[in-house]
């Protein structure tokens, strides 16, 4: 009788599993709860948002009538591409995934408007029955209830992305962009309702098409204040964005993680209440609030957004030289990658020399390098993800695959944009000068 083979120990020799079939042919697989599947969760989210969309659009059509609904829809959609393009431009350094942006847009257009329409109606009816004064109930609903309900409903989308898509939520710019997409969707649906009702009023006074009431509503809501809802909700997004910057080692981190978003939400509600109150009580108050509060706050947010984007570019220029020193990047690449103009020039240079696929490869290289810089930056701030080493190696692998096309283009762009000093052509290079006779 032969002695049995020694059993491998955990610390030493490992068993040989060479006979195990490929993973695709496994018969026995680890069981997972079906609700943990990404596909199931994605289908559930899409289904819920689609149902909300069907319900809210049906309610709006019932309120405005079919003709008013179509007119409101056609007019309300006009500012949407401009607003979305502005927020997408702001997010050019490290673009957020489209699935996150589409979720924010759909939540704002369907879920948050559905919540707001039911909650606002319930609150106004309750106040009206309690006070027996319908006009006061409507005024209180517009100035107190609506800001609380609407900003909470819109802010919920940004909070969900902060909690469940934390990898794609890195700072104030992400908060602004997600809040902007959510609020743009909300304003779109709300504008359909207001413009459709305005069109109905024009028909009641004997009009045959778009009349003065519709034009006036369009000017106020679409021309003068298309940024109103994005402006309010951006304050909530900024609160969550600044919370995302807190290092894991910061003192009283939990308190700040709570106070910053709550502070942003309260500011959003306050500005929203001020705006609604100005439009409710007196026409001149609307102009005063518009000039003294809305425009300055909007300018302040634009300045803050551009400053945050410049901070992101400085992060790239600070983090990537470590990889250049290790040989993963050319010395000039961090300088080019920290300039939006140089990035664009590198893609154009690759397209002229190698065609569109080369430009696409350079764009992918820039995206991977940006992600790598922020990954390292978060690790240095004490926010390293558990699989930091594996993700870093994966990003370096993607960069190495595209380096033959991207590195020359970025080096050229760094010199062409003045990010790297280039000696004049008439200098003597090692004894050789083509301009010497």
């Amino acid at each position: 009788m032969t002695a049995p083979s020694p059993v491998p120990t955990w610390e030493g020799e490992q068993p040989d599993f060479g006979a195990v079939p490929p993973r695709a042919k496994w018969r026995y697989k680890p069981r997972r709860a079906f609700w943990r599947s990404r596909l199931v969760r994605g289908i559930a989210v899409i289904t819920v948002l689609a149902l909300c969309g069907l319900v809210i659009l049906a309610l709006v059509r019932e309120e405005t009538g079919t003709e008013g609904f179509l007119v409101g829809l056609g007019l309300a959609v006009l500012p949407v591409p401009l607003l979305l393009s502005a927020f997408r431009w702001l997010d050019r350094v490290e673009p957020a995934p489209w699935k996150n942006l589409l979720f924010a847009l759909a939540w704002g257009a369907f879920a948050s408007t559905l919540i707001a329409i039911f909650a606002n109606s319930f609150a106004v009816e309750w106040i009206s029955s309690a006070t027996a004064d319908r006009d006061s109930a409507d005024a209180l609903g517009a100035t107190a209830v609506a800001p609380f309900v609407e900003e909470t409903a819109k802010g919920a989308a940004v909070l969900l992305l902060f909690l469940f898509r934390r990898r794609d939520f890195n700072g104030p710019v992400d908060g602004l962009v997600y809040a902007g997409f959510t609020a743009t969707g909300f304003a779109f649906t709300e504008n359909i309702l207001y413009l459709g009702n305005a069109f109905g009023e024009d028909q009641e006074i004997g009009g045959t098409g778009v009349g003065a009431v519709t034009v006036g509503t369009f000017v106020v809501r679409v021309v003068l204040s298309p940024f109103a809802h994005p402006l309010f909700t951006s304050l909530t997004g900024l609160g969550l964005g600044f919370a995302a910057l807190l290092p894991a080692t910061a003192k009283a981190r939990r308190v700040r993680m709570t106070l910053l978003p709550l502070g942003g939400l309260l500011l959003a509600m306050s500005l929203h209440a001020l705006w609604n109150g100005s439009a409710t009580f007196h026409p001149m108050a609307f102009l005063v609030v518009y000039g003294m509060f809305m425009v300055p706050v909007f300018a302040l947010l634009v300045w803050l957004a551009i400053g945050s984007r410049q901070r992101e570019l400085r992060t790239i220029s600070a983090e990537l030289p470590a990889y250049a020193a290790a040989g993963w990047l050319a010395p000039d690449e961090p300088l080019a990658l920290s300039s939006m103009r140089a990035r664009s020039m590198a893609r154009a240079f690759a397209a002229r020399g190698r065609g569109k696929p080369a430009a696409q490869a350079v764009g992918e290289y820039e995206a991977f390098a940006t992600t790598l810089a922020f990954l390292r930056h978060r690790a240095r701030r004490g926010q390293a993800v558990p699989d930091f080493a594996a993700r870093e190696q994966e990003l370096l692998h993607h960069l190495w695959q595209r380096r033959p096309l991207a590195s020359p283009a970025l080096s050229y762009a760094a010199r062409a944009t003045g990010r790297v000093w280039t000696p004049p052509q008439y200098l003597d290079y090692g004894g050789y000068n083509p301009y010497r006779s």
Side-chain angles (χ1 to χ4, degrees):
M1 181 176 179
T2 59
S5 302
V7 178
T9 61
W10 180 259
E11 295 83 3
E13 181 185 359
Q14 295 295 310
D16 181 12
F17 295 114
V20 176
R23 186 181 184 89
K25 297 183 179 181
W26 281 5
R27 293 181 59 189
Y28 306 100
K29 299 180 181 180
R31 294 185 179 180
R32 297 177 59 188
F34 76 94
W35 60 83
R36 293 186 179 180
S37 168
R38 295 178 62 183
L39 177 62
V40 171
R41 286 181 295 179
I43 292 174
V45 170
I46 293 172
T47 302
V48 170
L49 291 176
L51 290 175
C52 290
L54 291 174
V55 173
I56 189 64
L57 292 178
L59 291 174
V60 172
R61 191 200 67 79
E62 183 180 358
E63 175 75 17
T64 62
T66 302
E67 192 175 3
F69 175 81
L70 294 176
V71 171
L73 178 64
L75 295 175
V77 79
L78 294 178
V80 173
L82 177 63
L83 291 170
L84 297 184
S85 299
F87 286 110
R88 191 60 177 171
W89 173 85
L90 183 63
D91 199 32
R92 286 173 62 201
V93 177
E94 190 184 21
W98 271 108
K99 60 182 179 181
N100 294 353
L101 298 176
L102 292 177
F103 166 79
L105 183 66
W107 180 280
F110 305 140
S112 60
T113 49
L114 187 62
I115 294 170
I117 215 168
F118 280 114
N120 288 340
S121 299
F122 173 80
V124 170
E125 290 297 331
W126 183 82
I127 295 171
S128 178
S129 62
T131 62
D133 186 349
R134 183 69 188 188
D135 292 338
S136 298
D138 288 338
L140 186 61
T143 55
V145 176
F148 174 82
V149 171
E150 293 176 8
E151 293 310 319
T152 302
K154 289 182 290 180
V158 190
L159 178 62
L160 287 172
L161 290 168
F162 179 83
L163 294 176
F164 297 104
R165 287 290 181 267
R166 188 66 179 81
R167 182 179 297 181
D168 305 318
F169 205 125
N170 302 316
V173 172
D174 291 318
L176 279 172
V177 172
Y178 290 139
F181 268 69
T182 304
T184 299
F186 185 93
F188 165 69
T189 304
E190 189 181 61
N191 283 341
I192 297 175
L193 179 62
Y194 278 92
L195 290 166
N197 284 334
F199 179 80
E201 292 182 28
D202 282 329
Q203 304 308 300
E204 290 178 359
I205 60 178
T208 57
V210 175
V213 178
T214 306
V215 172
T217 304
F218 178 82
V219 170
V220 171
R221 297 192 64 86
V222 177
V223 177
L224 293 179
S225 58
F227 57 84
H229 275 291
L231 179 63
F232 306 146
T233 313
S234 292
L235 297 172
T236 304
L238 280 177
L240 287 165
F242 284 119
L245 292 178
L246 291 176
T249 56
K251 295 181 179 179
R253 183 173 185 269
R254 291 185 178 180
V255 176
R256 298 181 192 178
M257 287 285 285
T258 303
L259 292 180
L260 283 172
L262 282 179
L265 179 61
L266 289 175
L267 286 174
M269 292 177 182
S270 301
L271 188 60
H272 195 162
L274 183 64
W275 173 253
N276 284 5
S278 69
T280 301
F281 294 112
H282 197 280
M284 288 302 297
F286 169 80
L287 297 176
V288 171
V289 170
Y290 186 87
M292 294 186 63
F293 291 94
M294 297 293 288
V295 174
V297 171
F298 178 74
L300 178 63
L301 283 181
V302 170
W303 173 80
L304 184 60
I306 294 176
S308 297
R309 198 174 85 159
Q310 293 302 314
R311 183 189 59 80
E312 291 184 340
L313 292 174
R314 288 194 297 271
T315 298
I316 294 172
S317 65
E319 300 295 344
L320 290 184
Y323 296 100
W328 289 102
L329 307 176
D332 298 341
E333 289 181 43
L335 296 171
L337 289 166
S338 59
S339 165
M340 299 306 296
R341 179 170 172 240
R343 285 179 173 222
S344 178
M345 186 174 291
R347 295 193 297 272
F349 177 80
R352 288 196 303 270
R354 299 287 188 90
K356 188 175 180 180
Q360 182 178 354
V362 174
E364 293 172 350
Y365 187 93
E366 293 170 350
F368 287 129
T370 300
T371 304
L372 180 64
F374 283 104
L375 182 71
R376 178 180 172 85
H377 181 66
R378 288 192 294 273
R380 287 203 309 108
R381 290 176 58 88
Q383 297 175 321
V385 292
D387 57 343
F388 169 81
R391 291 175 61 187
E392 182 185 45
Q393 287 298 312
E394 181 183 349
L395 289 168
L396 290 172
H397 168 72
H398 290 317
L399 291 176
W400 196 259
Q401 285 184 319
R402 295 160 178 78
R403 185 176 181 180
L405 288 172
S407 185
L410 287 167
S411 295
Y412 162 79
R415 287 168 170 74
T417 56
R419 306 285 290 178
V420 176
W421 180 77
T422 304
Q425 295 181 349
Y426 55 80
L427 291 182
D428 194 328
Y429 297 99
Y432 171 73
N433 189 337
Y435 299 99
R436 181 183 298 166
S437 58

